[in-house]
Amino acid sequence: MENEYLKRTLVFLLSGGQGERLYPLTRDRSKPAVPFGGIYRIIDFSLSNCLNSDLKRIIVLTQYKSLSLDRHIKTAWNLFPREMGSFIDVVPPQQRIDNNWYRGTADAIFQNIYIIEMERPDYVLILSGDHVYKMDYRSMIRYHIEKDADMTIAAIETPVTEAARFGVLDVDSANRVTGFQEKPDKPMPIPGREDSAFVSMGIYVFKTEKLVQYLSEDHRLEGNNDFGKDIIPRIYGTERVVAYDYVKHEGERAYWRDIGTLVSFFESNMDLVAVSPKLNMYDRTWPIRSNVEQYPPAKLIFDADDRRGMAVDSIISHGSIISGSKVYRSVISPGVKVNSYAEISDSIIMNGVKIGRHTRVRRAIVDKYVEIPANESIGFDLERDAARFTVTSDGIVVIPKRYIF
Amino acid sequence: MSKILVVEDEQHQRELYAMELQDEGYEVDQAANGREAVEKVKANKYDLVVLDIRMPEMDGIEALGKILSRDKKIPIIIYTAYSNYKSNFMTWTADAYITKSSNLDELKGKIQEILAGRSK
């Protein structure tokens, strides 16, 4: 059968990221569970990509603060019939092999190696639960098979100035990996294009036997037990390690962001409110699904000159009421109430937030269920805000979940 | 003198291996199951462990994991009558997997090879 290889692929979705640089959004939840774009959580992108790619054997490895992620997957992603051999299993650390938490990404897979034993896949696809992106994994797995690769690494071109957060690849004309630097101080540019670097997206396909071999060897070595820090540098010289050029294969659909920091989280959300968003959520050939709570549709009310309910260049989720107030360039999540004479601009307002009359909010991320009282101002006096909240280096104010004013 | 721990539940076999390895010039200690092996590794310093898989109380697979989480570097040779434990991926972390045969030549050869490699 043409797509038989998909059934012979097991997916591991690494979802244990602590996300310290997303604090306070990660105070009560792991990074993949952070809400995104109004109705989504970050992990919905990877899971939707799996669904759109016909991959239905998925292990979600959790670790820190996994309750909200666990609940989300149980309610939003309870889709696959196990009796047909498909599943999304949420697996917390089992401590079957030793009593430690996962050290690095490779250790997370190694500690769950018994799952590979039971499932007996031919290929293992390893994903990260903290990227916002669209990707057809079928194309990458086919490429891996065609190239007869031991390991295939999805890679993307990025400005050399941003490459230091990633693993940087050097490849030959056949896309064989010939060099690798993990989070280098001075990233190597693409030959002849000094301002760009080719970086690993942290998405890997392995031949199962090879993966088990690398993990077993790695388990015996000192190090971080990490794909980027240990395994890739150790194997690329002797094994068939190949890079998959994501943008070239994905074409117009290509969009990928590693939500590593509050700034990248903010910018990625803001990508959605652009007139022609870089991240197109309207593409019916590649739907992104989530857990949608039942609410009535969004409502905008009052039409007096001084008290007009309006929103422009914004996303307004269901259950929200923009009542006699103005919203500019913002993401409004479900169940938000913005009261009269308030003004919100360039902000991300999460579920159930209430904003009082005459309150102004600018360049802020307001986490769930915060009630901002009347006549407040957020994002105008950053010194005052910094005394109360997290403020990023470029002035984005973050108000934590259920903050009491 | 290199010190080897032989882990084997079958007493006659265990004593035979111990004698043969002593004849090769090694100092040999014995454990009758995985649990004893883990305790001995905690209390002593070995240069190599010869580990059976199918044993009472604690099998060799579990012992392998526990020994490695204590000491990643200690060489371990799985020595079992069964070849099908290779499908248990934990056994891939061992330095060698040898299926038992009537003589100990292969085991002795592998021990020598591993210890020679380590003393380099």
Side-chain angles (χ1 to χ4, degrees):
Chain A
M1 227 173 78
E2 194 192 343
N3 288 335
E4 192 64 23
Y5 66 93
L6 297 170
K7 289 192 173 167
R8 291 187 277 119
T9 301
L10 179 67
V11 182
F12 279 96
L13 183 46
L14 298 172
S15 304
Q18 234 173 332
E20 281 161 344
R21 287 175 303 157
L22 280 183
Y23 193 88
L25 301 179
T26 49
R27 190 190 62 190
D28 305 317
R29 48 172 100 87
S30 61
K31 198 161 142 186
V34 170
F36 182 87
I39 63 167
Y40 307 97
R41 290 183 191 254
I42 292 173
I43 198 172
D44 291 330
F45 289 85
S46 298
L47 288 172
S48 295
N49 289 337
C50 284
L51 201 58
N52 287 321
S53 301
D54 290 325
L55 288 163
K56 295 172 184 169
R57 297 165 73 198
I58 302 165
I59 304 290
V60 179
L61 296 180
T62 62
Q63 184 154 255
Y64 304 99
K65 297 175 185 167
S66 59
L67 179 65
S68 84
L69 183 63
D70 197 33
R71 276 193 186 149
H72 174 70
I73 290 173
K74 285 201 175 96
T75 49
W77 289 94
N78 185 17
L79 302 174
F80 294 161
R82 184 172 296 276
E83 66 277 13
M84 300 298 285
S86 51
F87 51 83
I88 298 180
D89 282 347
V90 179
V91 181
Q94 307 288 302
Q95 304 201 332
R96 287 169 67 109
I97 292 171
D98 62 31
N99 297 330
N100 297 315
W101 284 30
Y102 304 141
R103 283 178 290 272
T105 49
D107 188 49
I109 306 291
F110 179 77
Q111 300 252 7
N112 291 287
I113 207 162
Y114 70 101
I115 300 176
I116 304 177
E117 251 166 58
M118 289 190 304
E119 296 297 331
R120 298 261 144 209
D122 289 347
Y123 308 102
V124 176
L125 171 65
I126 295 173
L127 307 174
S128 161
D130 37 6
H131 299 160
V132 169
Y133 67 125
K134 292 187 186 179
M135 182 167 177
D136 190 341
Y137 304 128
R138 288 173 297 198
S139 164
M140 181 177 175
I141 300 165
R142 275 199 303 270
Y143 186 82
H144 174 82
I145 295 169
E146 280 162 24
K147 289 272 176 183
D148 191 28
D150 298 325
M151 177 189 195
T152 300
I153 304 170
I156 190 167
E157 249 181 62
T158 193
V160 86
T161 49
E162 288 170 30
R165 317 193 270 131
F166 302 105
V168 179
L169 298 166
D170 198 6
V171 298
D172 67 13
S173 57
N175 276 340
R176 181 94 179 249
V177 174
T178 54
F180 184 84
Q181 313 167 300
E182 176 72 3
K183 298 181 180 161
D185 294 333
K186 285 197 174 156
M188 54 189 162
I190 297 170
R193 319 232 334 253
E194 298 307 307
D195 52 351
S196 293
F198 205 37
V199 304
S200 163
M201 297 160 69
I203 296 168
Y204 316 119
V205 183
F206 286 93
K207 281 179 187 158
T208 300
E209 280 224 346
K210 287 291 184 176
L211 173 65
V212 173
Q213 181 199 324
Y214 305 149
L215 293 175
S216 311
E217 289 164 0
D218 182 68
H219 184 65
R220 300 294 302 272
L221 299 169
E222 300 299 334
N224 302 285
N225 303 110
D226 193 78
F227 286 111
K229 294 192 187 89
D230 306 282
I231 291 192
I232 301 171
R234 185 163 58 78
I235 68 168
Y236 78 80
T238 51
E239 301 285 289
R240 271 190 79 78
V241 181
V242 162
Y244 172 81
D245 188 334
Y246 164 70
V247 172
K248 188 178 144 200
H249 288 89
E250 203 66 35
E252 284 185 358
R253 192 159 52 209
Y255 179 96
W256 179 79
R257 268 199 199 249
D258 172 22
I259 306 294
T261 62
L262 286 167
V263 174
S264 62
F265 174 80
F266 183 80
E267 285 172 353
S268 197
N269 271 275
M270 287 302 143
D271 282 348
L272 293 173
V273 302
V275 176
S276 313
K278 283 182 240 168
L279 174 57
N280 178 5
M281 305 299 283
Y282 302 90
D283 178 3
R284 296 320 292 163
T285 67
W286 205 265
I288 305 297
R289 73 182 300 283
S290 186
N291 180 32
V292 181
E293 291 170 82
Q294 294 303 317
Y295 279 110
K299 183 161 80 168
L300 295 88
I301 49 172
F302 295 116
D303 193 22
D305 279 345
D306 64 333
R307 191 190 183 203
R308 178 166 292 127
M310 57 170 279
V312 288
D313 295 337
S314 295
I315 287 175
I316 312 294
S317 304
H318 51 299
S320 292
I321 301 173
I322 312 298
S323 170
S325 46
K326 298 184 174 75
V327 175
Y328 302 100
R329 298 171 303 278
S330 293
V331 173
I332 307 291
S333 309
V336 169
K337 176 88 191 286
V338 187
N339 287 299
S340 290
Y341 313 108
E343 188 171 315
I344 297 173
S345 56
D346 303 292
S347 292
I348 299 160
I349 311 296
M350 293 189 188
N351 306 46
V353 168
K354 291 189 170 57
I355 292 171
R357 285 186 164 211
H358 298 284
T359 283
R360 297 180 304 157
V361 178
R362 182 173 76 179
R363 282 173 64 72
I365 301 169
V366 185
D367 205 334
K368 290 182 171 185
Y369 308 116
V370 171
E371 297 190 17
I372 305 181
N375 303 307
E376 256 295 346
S377 104
I378 309 288
F380 291 86
D381 180 351
L382 291 182
E383 217 166 284
R384 176 166 170 259
D385 288 333
R388 302 182 286 176
F389 310 117
T390 301
V391 179
T392 67
S393 56
D394 58 349
I396 300 161
V397 181
V398 189
I399 306 184
K401 189 173 170 180
R402 294 187 196 279
Y403 179 85
I404 309 284
F405 277 83
Chain B
M1 193 194 303
S2 295
K3 194 170 172 186
I4 295 175
L5 177 66
V6 170
V7 189
E8 165 65 59
D9 60 321
E10 171 57 51
Q11 189 189 343
H12 293 293
Q13 278 188 34
R14 188 173 68 237
E15 285 170 356
L16 172 74
Y17 303 160
M19 258 186 329
E20 292 248 358
L21 294 176
Q22 277 160 358
D23 287 350
E24 297 288 310
Y26 303 117
E27 191 185 339
V28 180
D29 213 346
Q30 301 178 29
N33 58 52
R35 190 184 47 72
E36 264 187 48
V38 174
E39 279 167 14
K40 292 215 157 175
V41 167
K42 279 182 190 168
N44 303 283
K45 177 89 189 116
Y46 297 105
D47 297 295
L48 188 144
V49 178
V50 176
L51 184 63
D52 186 21
I53 298 283
R54 193 187 277 193
M55 291 181 291
E57 287 192 60
M58 182 192 289
D59 68 16
I61 306 263
E62 192 179 343
L64 176 62
K66 287 193 155 54
I67 291 169
L68 288 182
S69 66
R70 175 151 190 97
D71 179 1
K72 277 173 181 246
K73 299 285 180 198
I74 186 168
I76 298 178
I77 297 175
I78 290 176
Y79 196 56
T80 169
Y82 306 90
S83 62
N84 56 348
Y85 286 116
K86 279 183 188 164
S87 66
N88 185 312
F89 291 143
M90 191 63 209
T91 63
W92 292 36
T93 61
D95 296 75
Y97 186 116
I98 298 174
T99 312
K100 285 178 187 173
S101 61
S102 51
N103 68 56
L104 294 181
D105 292 350
E106 192 184 356
L107 178 64
K108 288 177 191 167
K110 187 53 90 176
I111 291 173
Q112 211 171 25
E113 180 192 321
I114 289 174
L115 292 178
R118 276 174 69 87
S119 62
K120 260 183 224 165

